[in-house]
Amino acid sequence: MALSDADVQKQIKHMMAFIEQEASEKAEEIDAKAEEEFNIEKGRLVQTQRVKIMEYYEKKDKQIEQQKKIQMSNLMNQARLKVLKARDDMITDLLNEARKRLADIAKDPAKYSTLLDGLVLQGFYQLLEPKVTIRCRKDDVPMVETAVKKNIPIYKDTVKSNIEVRIDKDNFLSPDISGGVEVYNANGKIKVSNTLESRLDLLAQQCSVRQRPVGSVLWGSVLWGSVLWAVSCGAASYGQRPVGSILWAASCGQRPVGSVLWAASCGQRPVTTAEGLEDDQHCTVQQQMSYRL
């Protein structure tokens, strides 16, 4: 049975509608897949660029932090150099002032005689020789003779050994020095220089060698004040025992207490009066000798 034109047209329209619907669905499917792939690719690219940006700024942060550390280190080094320079200038001024005041020590006979007692006794302890020779300024001979007579019994009682002392009256120390003595062994090969200038030079050397913490300004102030006081006063007294002397005026034969210059000479920390007294009460003679050497 043949189809009429109307039926043919109807079937054609139906087929066209079906094709259009299929095409529309396929197009929507393609669009959805394309959108999905686009989002995936976009996310990948965004993530990649984000990582690159983060790495870039992390690198920048590290560079900035490193530059900050370098700048901070440079500033700290500059500050240290300024402090060290100020410290060296202070030491230089202090030593110059101390050298000017050395001559005033010998002008006070009472303090200077006590000082000579300590210098002579220290020379005995440092040499530990049965025979010693002492050289001094010509003007100091009477005081040195008195100091020798006073300290020989103390030395014998402490060391349990005899000592023969001779004052060299043929070769005196230069009158230009501020005072003090030089003690030699019998053959003159070993010398203990206990002149005021030599002890001050010893302190200067100790100050230049020893490295104190940069921030130790308070300690430095105390040291400078102690040295100036010691230079101007010569010695202090604790009962009958001189302590804190500029040149270790320890006439009782025990380790000096609070002596800045003595501590500088042996490279040890100055001790307080209480510490020194307690230590001296428990020290053996050999230990006391080690403190002085």
Side-chain angles (χ1 to χ4, degrees), residues 12-278:
I12 292 174
K13 289 181 180 180
H14 180 73
M15 292 176 63
M16 291 176 61
F18 177 77
I19 293 172
E20 288 179 356
Q21 184 178 357
E22 288 289 328
S24 177
E25 291 176 357
K26 191 67 175 177
E28 290 177 359
E29 182 181 350
I30 293 172
D31 289 341
K33 187 176 181 180
E35 182 70 20
E36 182 181 359
E37 292 178 353
F38 168 75
N39 291 330
I40 293 173
E41 183 65 17
K42 181 178 70 173
R44 187 185 65 80
L45 293 175
V46 169
Q47 183 64 24
T48 301
Q49 296 301 319
R50 181 185 291 119
V51 170
K52 289 183 179 181
I53 292 172
M54 291 176 64
E55 290 176 350
Y56 173 79
Y57 281 103
E58 284 179 1
K59 184 177 179 181
K60 284 292 184 182
D61 288 340
K62 290 180 179 179
Q63 291 177 350
I64 294 173
E65 188 67 24
Q66 187 175 7
Q67 290 177 356
K68 287 182 179 179
K69 290 180 179 179
I70 294 174
Q71 291 176 356
M72 182 63 67
S73 177
N74 291 335
L75 292 175
M76 291 179 66
N77 288 335
Q78 292 175 4
R80 288 192 185 97
L81 291 176
K82 289 181 181 179
V83 172
L84 290 175
K85 184 178 183 303
R87 174 180 175 274
D88 291 340
D89 293 341
M90 184 181 295
I91 292 176
T92 301
D93 295 340
L94 171 66
L95 294 174
N96 291 335
E97 180 66 19
R99 287 189 178 93
K100 293 179 182 178
R101 295 190 184 184
L102 284 180
D104 298 334
I105 296 177
K107 295 179 181 179
D108 189 336
K111 291 183 178 179
Y112 186 53
S113 61
T114 303
L115 183 60
L116 285 177
D117 290 344
L119 295 175
V120 171
L121 185 60
Q122 186 189 36
F124 293 167
Y125 283 141
Q126 288 184 327
L127 286 178
L128 293 176
E129 294 281 341
K131 295 182 180 181
V132 298
T133 301
I134 297 178
R135 289 181 184 173
C136 62
R137 299 186 306 176
K138 189 174 183 179
D139 295 339
D140 295 341
V141 172
M143 284 189 287
V144 173
E145 291 176 343
T146 303
V148 169
K149 293 178 181 179
K150 179 179 178 181
N151 288 313
I152 286 178
I154 297 174
Y155 177 83
K156 290 181 178 179
D157 182 63
T158 304
V159 183
K160 309 302 180 185
S161 176
N162 292 326
I163 184 172
E164 181 181 337
V165 182
R166 182 180 72 88
I167 299 176
D168 190 349
K169 296 183 180 180
D170 297 326
N171 300 292
F172 295 104
L173 297 181
S174 172
D176 296 331
I177 68 172
S178 301
V181 295
E182 290 182 354
V183 186
Y184 297 81
N185 67 337
N187 57 18
K189 292 184 178 180
I190 303 176
K191 179 180 75 171
V192 175
S193 181
N194 266 352
T195 63
L196 302 187
E197 284 79 4
S198 65
R199 299 312 297 267
L200 186 60
D201 291 340
L202 190 62
L203 174 64
Q205 181 182 2
Q206 187 68 24
C207 289
S208 62
V209 172
R210 180 177 298 174
Q211 294 296 326
R212 288 285 176 179
V214 173
S216 196
V217 177
L218 179 59
W219 174 88
S221 301
V222 173
L223 174 61
W224 312 148
S226 300
V227 174
L228 284 176
W229 171 84
V231 169
S232 60
C233 298
S237 61
Y238 185 85
Q240 297 298 322
R241 173 186 182 179
V243 293
S245 168
I246 178 178
L247 296 179
W248 192 74
S251 61
C252 62
Q254 294 181 339
R255 179 160 63 95
V257 181
S259 176
V260 175
L261 289 186
W262 174 86
S265 67
C266 63
Q268 297 184 6
R269 177 179 64 89
V271 298
T272 63
T273 301
E275 291 173 341
L277 291 175
E278 183 178 357

